[in-house]
Amino acid sequence: MSTENAVTSFSDLELPAALQRALDEVGYETPSAIQAMTIPHLLAGSDLVGQAQTGTGKTAAFALPTLARLDMSQKTPQVLVLAPTRELAIQVAEAFQKYARHLPGFHVLPIYGGSDMRGQLRQLERGVHVVVGTPGRVMDHMRRGSLDLSGLQTLVLDEADEMLRMGFIDDVEWILDQTPEQLSLIHISEPTRLQV
């Protein structure tokens, strides 16, 4: 709790200047509770389980610190975000793009079923820093050898509760088994909803 109380503005979080500039431009001033509590830990490369309601800035809570830790010269993915739906994958990829607008050469790629595989293959060949995808399409790329996770630093399970509910547990475990052992693992979900 002390972390949350100590952080009153994004400048307190010691994010790189390029990210701070993007936050200033989109009008982010005061971090939400989940951002204040998680960003310092994720900047240090810690594993994390976070829960927060929709609309509290969960995406920024994991996107900003993972962007801060990128090696821009590395062309294989350093961050993999697994999302339960294509809509969420697109939304998260757009958020990464928005926060990274001042990181020269930054590339994020959303990958999901129902979109052109050839275009995804071309972009992966050119090099991407962050991949945001649904488990099935991520597995497709891994099996065909087009998604190289050897340089992966961070794996984010976004809406982990929803992925479990939708039956993706085996897929997620299979993907985890193929990732490097030294990996920062982030689970983000909503507080458990009570069924009435």
Side-chain angles (χ1 to χ4, degrees):
M1 286 300 196
S2 59
T3 310
E4 180 186 353
N5 297 337
V7 176
T8 57
S9 78
F10 277 102
S11 57
D12 295 337
L13 294 170
E14 298 176 19
L15 292 164
L19 297 180
Q20 189 63 57
R21 188 173 154 207
L23 290 174
D24 292 344
E25 288 172 4
V26 295
Y28 287 15
E29 292 172 8
T30 307
S32 68
I34 191 162
Q35 292 163 351
M37 292 166 69
T38 61
I39 289 174
H41 295 290
L42 296 179
L43 283 170
S46 301
D47 291 346
L48 187 112
V49 176
Q51 288 188 332
Q53 299 287 356
T54 298
T56 53
K58 293 191 295 279
T59 302
F62 65 77
L64 292 168
T66 54
L67 284 167
R69 298 179 69 230
L70 288 181
D71 174 355
M72 296 304 291
S73 66
Q74 184 180 317
K75 294 303 178 196
T76 57
Q78 295 164 63
V79 178
L80 173 62
V81 181
L82 293 178
T85 64
R86 61 193 261 166
E87 292 77 18
L88 184 62
I90 292 167
Q91 185 183 323
V92 170
E94 287 172 350
F96 268 95
Q97 194 66 59
K98 178 170 65 175
Y99 303 138
R101 66 171 66 173
H102 299 298
L103 292 178
F106 172 76
H107 293 289
V108 58
L109 177 64
I111 59 175
Y112 47 85
S115 65
D116 179 35
M117 182 69 111
R118 285 186 308 254
Q120 293 174 7
L121 290 168
R122 276 195 303 274
Q123 289 183 62
L124 286 168
E125 278 175 28
R126 281 199 296 264
V128 297
H129 301 99
V130 177
V131 170
V132 185
T134 53
R137 184 51 68 98
V138 167
M139 290 169 67
D140 289 347
H141 279 288
M142 290 171 72
R143 286 189 175 119
R144 66 166 48 213
S146 50
L147 181 55
D148 175 4
L149 297 182
S150 62
L152 201 66
Q153 296 175 350
T154 306
L155 176 62
V156 180
L157 304 179
D158 195 7
E159 294 198 3
D161 55 336
E162 189 67 11
M163 278 194 282
L164 295 179
R165 195 185 66 72
M166 293 172 70
F168 287 130
I169 183 69
D170 292 341
D171 294 352
V172 170
E173 285 180 351
W174 185 88
I175 292 166
L176 272 169
D177 286 346
Q178 321 298 316
T179 57
E181 278 188 33
Q182 293 302 314
L183 188 72
S184 175
L185 185 60
I186 305 169
H187 293 245
I188 297 289
S189 61
E190 293 208 1
T192 308
R193 300 174 196 89
L194 293 174
Q195 297 297 324
V196 180

